[in-house]
Amino acid sequence: MAFTGYAWASLQGLVNGLNYADVINPHSGGDQPADGARDILLVGLDSRTDAQGNPLSPQLLAQLRAGEADGELNTDSLIFVHIPNDGSKAVAISLPRDSYVNIPGYGEHKINSAYARAMLQARKDLQQQGVTDPKELDVKANQAGAKELITTVEALTGSTIDNYAAINLLGFSEITQAIGGVDVCLNNNVDDSYSGAKFTKGVHTISGVQALEFVRQRHGLPRGDLDRVVRQQVFMAGMARKVLSAGTLTDPGKLNALIEAIKKSVVLNQNWDIFSFAQQMKGLTGGQLEFRTIPVENVAYKTPSDGDAIEVDPQAVKKFVRGLAGPQPGRQAPPPPANDANKGITVDVRNASGRTGLAASVSKQLTGKGFTAGDTANATSRKTTVIWVPSGGEDSGNAVADALGTKATVQEDKSVDAGHVMVFLGSDYQPSADNAGSGAPAGSADAPASSPAAPPPAAGDDQKPITADGVPCVN
């Protein structure tokens, strides 16, 4: 919605054609969320109906390679989007569909089943109450599923969802066609009989069924669902780039086709003022939108009843989200450091060394030298330590390097916020005497070396967040 809202606002009557559902609690979803930022849950559904609850034809389902319906409706993709009220930037955080989490009222299961569990229970309850109309059953059951999913995501992230937007298989296919396709790039040839994905190495412009195949493949990928998450991120980034470009926004044919596809397949929460939201988003550009993935502990976790899943630490997830999104209402931001030359520099630390607890201990060391502690997390392994700074921040990066006693390369990167420095600790990093021996507390974001790190968001430099600038090659 952030990607396309401003274009819609210029067209009279669009809002009347959108589909709305009562899925957000009354305390949230206002024009200006009280915490200074809007948190949106974007959901991709493998639904066999359109947004109005009408069944898709067998021919259309076959065309979309939807597969056999098993009576359940799972969420193929979950993305938590955090946008400050001024619309200056946005961060989209992927929640892998197989993440093993607590689903309120149902116990621990894969997060993609939260929607289905509540939907099926609601359908059963409605039928017992005498509701027989298939369309009414579908709409109300889906509403219950969405509410349960929102509650589950709020519990996992520690954030309050202000808005909700869901899209089905048909809509995804038609929207990609309406904008003229999306550019993607693959590291290797792929040929997957499950999803139908068959692409050669290199850059492709894909839309429709091909786009679905690209974002749904997980078999045959080195890291399974985590690689699928990265594909979804680069595709969403490419879609954002295409929609934000003048070529899409000023082409009446593309714009009308886009709007018709959205009306047919997107469901929003009730009382979401799209016009006001669009005005907030009008200054957003590709470089101000970045994609991340929550930290994971084990990608092959054996569950008691749900088969293999992805193990996540809820506390680490909350810390990760809080580091990107800031404190929630009622929570205080960390106090400023002692008054010295380093007090205005916030340092985020990424452990890419493979050594347990290094990010947390280095962050503590830097805080002791007057820097402000940023967030800590694991990152994909790298040999050399590097320090990223925003434009004009070289002096701050050198100050951090001096404090660490390292000759790490200091380089500018536009993904780093003003006032921040981001340190990637490679295997070449040697802790100084006041840092050696320290470790991270159990359950922190700085997990043991044996735990898989969050997936690399882009090729070339694995630690660089995906943005809507450029076309990174992925698995």
Side-chain angles (χ1 to χ4, degrees):
M1 307 310 296
F3 308 155
T4 58
Y6 187 54
W8 303 347
S10 65
L11 300 175
Q12 185 69 27
L14 171 66
V15 171
N16 293 332
L18 293 175
N19 303 285
Y20 295 94
D22 182 13
V23 296
I24 296 289
N25 292 329
H27 66 269
S28 58
D31 279 353
Q32 296 288 328
D35 62 347
R38 185 182 301 272
D39 293 327
I40 305 170
L41 180 60
L42 301 180
V43 181
L45 299 172
D46 65 354
S47 174
R48 271 69 176 171
T49 64
D50 63 19
Q52 292 81 29
N54 302 308
L56 302 182
S57 70
Q59 293 82 3
L60 190 52
L61 290 173
Q63 196 176 48
L64 296 172
R65 298 184 67 93
E68 295 294 327
D70 57 6
E72 295 190 6
L73 191 158
N74 292 319
T75 48
D76 273 347
S77 61
L78 293 168
I79 301 178
F80 171 90
V81 183
H82 178 83
I83 308 172
N85 280 342
D86 61 6
S88 58
K89 63 178 183 177
V91 59
I93 305 172
S94 292
L95 312 174
R97 53 169 271 167
D98 288 343
S99 300
Y100 200 64
V101 303
N102 179 57
I103 299 176
Y106 296 89
E108 289 194 317
H109 297 284
K110 296 178 183 180
I111 195 170
N112 75 321
S113 71
Y115 193 113
R117 292 176 187 278
M119 182 190 73
L120 292 175
Q121 183 60 53
R123 184 182 296 274
K124 181 180 178 181
D125 293 344
L126 288 166
Q127 288 172 332
Q128 291 177 345
Q129 295 166 16
V131 178
T132 58
D133 179 61
K135 188 172 180 179
E136 182 181 358
L137 283 170
D138 188 79
V139 170
K140 290 185 176 180
N142 275 281
Q143 179 177 298
K147 286 184 175 181
E148 181 67 27
L149 178 61
I150 290 169
T151 300
T152 302
V153 172
E154 288 181 334
L156 176 64
T157 63
S159 298
T160 299
I161 300 299
D162 300 299
N163 294 109
Y164 169 90
I167 185 171
N168 58 32
L169 296 174
L170 174 63
F172 183 87
S173 173
E174 293 192 352
I175 286 173
T176 59
Q177 293 180 72
I179 64 174
V182 172
D183 295 333
V184 298
C185 179
L186 286 170
N187 289 321
N188 301 292
N189 299 338
V190 297
D191 188 353
D192 175 43
S193 60
Y194 292 92
S195 65
K198 187 174 184 178
F199 302 101
T200 56
K201 175 182 178 180
V203 178
H204 298 268
T205 300
I206 58 176
S207 63
V209 174
Q210 276 195 327
L212 277 171
E213 293 168 348
F214 178 84
V215 299
R216 298 186 81 197
Q217 181 186 358
R218 59 175 172 158
H219 296 282
L221 299 181
R223 301 178 310 153
D225 196 47
L226 293 185
D227 275 331
R228 172 159 65 176
V229 165
V230 175
R231 282 203 188 182
Q232 292 171 351
Q233 291 177 341
V234 298
F235 191 90
M236 291 283 284
M239 185 181 291
R241 182 171 59 253
K242 197 70 171 283
V243 173
L244 290 170
S245 70
T248 297
L249 299 180
T250 59
D251 185 323
K254 287 184 179 180
L255 200 53
N256 287 334
L258 177 62
I259 290 167
E260 288 307 310
I262 290 167
K263 285 182 179 180
K264 189 187 302 181
S265 57
V266 172
V267 175
L268 311 178
N269 65 279
Q270 280 184 0
N271 303 318
W272 187 353
D273 186 344
I274 290 296
F275 288 124
S276 296
F277 177 66
Q279 290 299 316
Q280 289 177 251
M281 294 299 99
K282 65 183 179 181
L284 190 69
T285 61
Q288 296 164 313
L289 169 66
E290 73 175 42
F291 291 81
R292 303 279 188 150
T293 305
I294 60 170
V296 302
E297 301 290 316
N298 182 0
V299 296
Y301 179 65
K302 305 295 183 182
T303 69
S305 58
D306 294 343
D308 286 354
I310 294 176
E311 183 181 16
V312 298
D313 178 354
Q315 294 307 312
V317 172
K318 288 181 176 67
K319 181 178 180 181
F320 178 79
V321 172
R322 190 164 59 246
L324 293 174
Q328 288 288 297
R331 298 176 185 162
Q332 296 297 318
N339 184 21
D340 59 26
N342 299 327
K343 68 178 182 179
I345 305 172
T346 299
V347 185
D348 305 311
V349 184
R350 301 289 182 264
N351 184 3
S353 70
R355 298 200 295 274
T356 303
L358 189 59
S361 57
V362 167
S363 180
K364 182 178 180 181
Q365 175 195 7
L366 291 171
T367 302
K369 294 185 178 182
F371 296 92
T372 299
D375 63 297
T376 60
N378 288 328
T380 304
S381 297
R382 62 179 301 140
K383 294 181 180 179
T384 57
T385 298
V386 65
I387 298 175
W388 285 3
V389 298
S391 178
E394 187 174 352
D395 289 345
S396 296
N398 289 330
V400 172
D402 290 342
L404 292 176
T406 178
K407 295 181 179 180
T409 300
V410 176
Q411 63 188 54
E412 290 187 358
D413 191 280
K414 60 185 176 183
S415 68
V416 181
D417 292 336
H420 282 245
V421 170
M422 185 170 288
V423 179
F424 291 95
L425 301 168
S427 57
D428 67 338
Y429 177 74
Q430 296 299 321
S432 59
D434 59 346
N435 186 34
S438 298
S444 73
D446 195 16
S450 59
S451 298
D461 188 339
D462 284 346
Q463 283 76 33
K464 189 173 181 179
I466 292 171
T467 71
D469 287 338
V471 184
C473 292
V474 297
N475 289 328

